[in-house]
Amino acid sequence: MQRPQVVSPQEWQAARDALLVKEKELTHALDRLAAERRRLPMVALDPSYRFVAPDGTEVGLTDLFDGRRQLVIYHFMREPGHDHLCPGCSTFTDNLAEHTQAHLGARDTRLILMSRAPQEEIEPVRRRMGWTVPWYSCHGTTFHEDLRIDGFALSVLLHDDSGEVFRTYATTGRGVDRLRLDFNLLDLTPYGRQEAWEDSPDGWPQTPTMQWLRPHDEYAAGAHHG
């Protein structure tokens, strides 16, 4: 297997310092982008949507916030009547730390999952995976269609004192991808994510994009669950 060039400590430090300049430039660019994101306009949402909470109760749109002002929704690809467990959504959810909710709550924000599947098809997956993020069902509604959700995505909602709910931000694809701790850590390693799309030196290990991803309980066992 190929590996990076071996150099002296002085040469390594010089190369690292040069890369650090570019990393700082990117950090500042991301800060500017976040500032623009905070200034995006927003769109009002229909308050009449009804959802099914993890405990089986029916709730409204404002109930999703659980008293918070801001809400982050990960739209998990669990479709009604389908046994397939999306590896991308599953591994994304694995990256959501158990105590993330407490830290978000300190800034009046809540995080939830949302799927089209009914709760009776969501609950077995939640138990199997051991996830604690509240997972709601929009089964029987047009919520995802109205938000133009086609696949996995992330939405940010705002609930203000008027009682109205607004959608302020949405992203999918690489916009969701960059939020994952595992991908960000792999991006720091010599071999990266080891996927075919990456610009890596010749001979670096690579496989088709995301083909390696599995629900966390399938890596060791090699099993294939629905």
Side-chain angles (χ1 to χ4, degrees):
M1 184 179 292
Q2 297 294 321
R3 64 181 190 177
Q5 179 186 6
V6 178
V7 298
S8 69
Q10 294 78 13
E11 290 174 303
W12 180 87
Q13 190 62 58
R16 176 67 191 97
D17 290 345
L19 182 61
L20 181 60
V21 173
K22 296 179 180 180
E23 288 178 336
K24 288 184 176 181
E25 290 174 351
L26 177 59
T27 297
H28 295 152
L30 288 172
D31 289 343
R32 292 191 295 271
L33 188 61
E36 288 189 44
R37 192 180 293 117
R38 290 191 291 271
R39 289 165 173 78
L40 278 175
M42 58 187 185
V43 60
L45 295 183
D46 185 343
S48 66
Y49 293 112
R50 306 299 294 176
F51 308 92
V52 179
D55 64 1
T57 59
E58 186 178 284
V59 299
L61 185 59
T62 57
D63 297 315
L64 300 179
F65 291 76
D66 195 29
R68 307 297 186 185
R69 179 179 300 175
Q70 301 182 128
L71 180 69
V72 179
I73 302 176
Y74 178 72
H75 303 277
F76 192 111
M77 293 173 61
R78 185 70 173 171
E79 299 298 322
H82 290 255
D83 290 335
H84 175 68
L85 181 55
C86 173
C89 291
S90 299
T91 52
F92 176 87
T93 306
D94 280 338
N95 277 265
L96 303 176
E98 179 181 357
H99 299 296
T100 297
Q101 204 76 260
H103 299 298
L104 291 175
R107 281 296 178 256
D108 213 10
T109 303
R110 190 187 192 209
L111 169 67
I112 67 170
L113 307 178
M114 180 70 72
S115 292
R116 289 187 177 96
Q119 277 294 349
E120 56 265 29
E121 296 176 10
I122 290 174
E123 180 59 16
V125 177
R126 188 199 63 78
R127 288 199 311 269
R128 169 190 160 189
M129 296 288 100
W131 293 327
T132 59
V133 183
W135 195 350
Y136 289 78
S137 169
C138 61
H139 181 65
T141 76
T142 59
F143 184 66
H144 274 188
E145 289 78 7
D146 294 345
L147 269 58
R148 298 184 180 180
I149 302 298
D150 182 19
F152 70 92
L154 187 141
S155 294
V156 179
L157 275 55
L158 176 69
H159 178 212
D160 69 7
D161 295 336
S162 71
E164 294 181 283
V165 175
F166 305 90
R167 193 185 194 196
T168 65
Y169 181 72
T171 190
T172 188
R174 297 298 300 279
V176 175
D177 174 292
R178 75 175 190 84
L179 304 177
R180 299 178 54 138
L181 176 62
D182 55 355
F183 285 0
N184 280 278
L185 290 175
L186 288 171
D187 286 344
L188 303 180
T189 66
Y191 295 128
R193 304 183 199 181
Q194 303 168 49
E195 295 185 336
W197 65 271
E198 290 177 294
D199 180 3
S200 295
D202 291 340
W204 256 227
Q206 291 186 323
T207 58
T209 302
M210 297 184 72
Q211 188 181 75
W212 59 279
L213 290 175
R214 301 284 187 277
H216 63 250
D217 60 353
E218 292 186 9
Y219 284 114
H224 298 279
H225 300 284

